[in-house]
Amino acid sequence: MVAHHTHVYRKVVREIAKATVKPRLARNKDIASNFRTLFAQSGRPEDAQHFQHDMQNALTFLQSQREYKALLDRYNPLIDLTAEERIEATARRVGLNMPKTHVPDSGDT
């Protein structure tokens, strides 16, 4: 790996680690190994500036995705709820309670 790419490589690996929610041992190792392979194969000096620019773009994309997810969670807290849970949460927000739905017993005739 070329020495001037090392700084960007470390940033990319850190950003990938920040983006995952799984513990370190359960993470998909293919993503980091593919980036490692890309950096290892970028030894040609004539493509160094173009490669550096591409990796900076990838780094910016990873950082932006992480920030987008954080903002989405902050300003749209109902995003990960089911439809029924979302309706209940919306009703509670305006001061209403949803009526309990009747579930008929399967044993009664």
Side-chain angles (χ1 to χ4, degrees), residues 20-29:
T20 58
V21 293
K22 295 182 180 179
R24 189 174 189 179
L25 294 175
R27 289 182 195 153
N28 187 352
K29 307 232 186 296

Side-chain angles (χ1 to χ4, degrees), residues 11-95:
K11 280 184 168 181
V12 168
V13 170
R14 277 190 220 113
E15 199 58 44
I16 290 171
K18 288 178 186 177
T20 58
V21 293
K22 295 182 180 179
R24 189 174 189 179
L25 294 175
R27 289 182 195 153
N28 187 352
K29 307 232 186 296
D30 292 337
I31 297 170
S33 66
N34 285 339
F35 271 108
R36 188 177 308 116
T37 303
L38 283 173
F39 277 92
Q41 293 174 352
S42 67
R44 297 189 325 198
E46 59 271 5
D47 293 338
Q49 187 171 2
H50 181 69
F51 180 76
Q52 187 84 5
H53 181 69
D54 287 345
M55 287 302 112
Q56 284 291 344
N57 284 340
L59 181 62
T60 303
F61 174 76
L62 291 169
Q63 290 170 341
S64 299
Q65 282 298 110
R66 186 170 48 89
E67 184 68 24
Y68 171 74
K69 186 175 184 309
L71 290 172
L72 195 63
D73 289 343
R74 178 186 295 169
Y75 292 110
N76 194 1
L78 306 179
I79 193 76
D80 58 347
L81 300 179
T82 64
E84 184 69 27
E85 292 171 335
R86 190 175 303 125
I87 291 169
E88 289 177 16
T90 304
R92 279 194 311 266
R93 183 180 298 161
V94 296

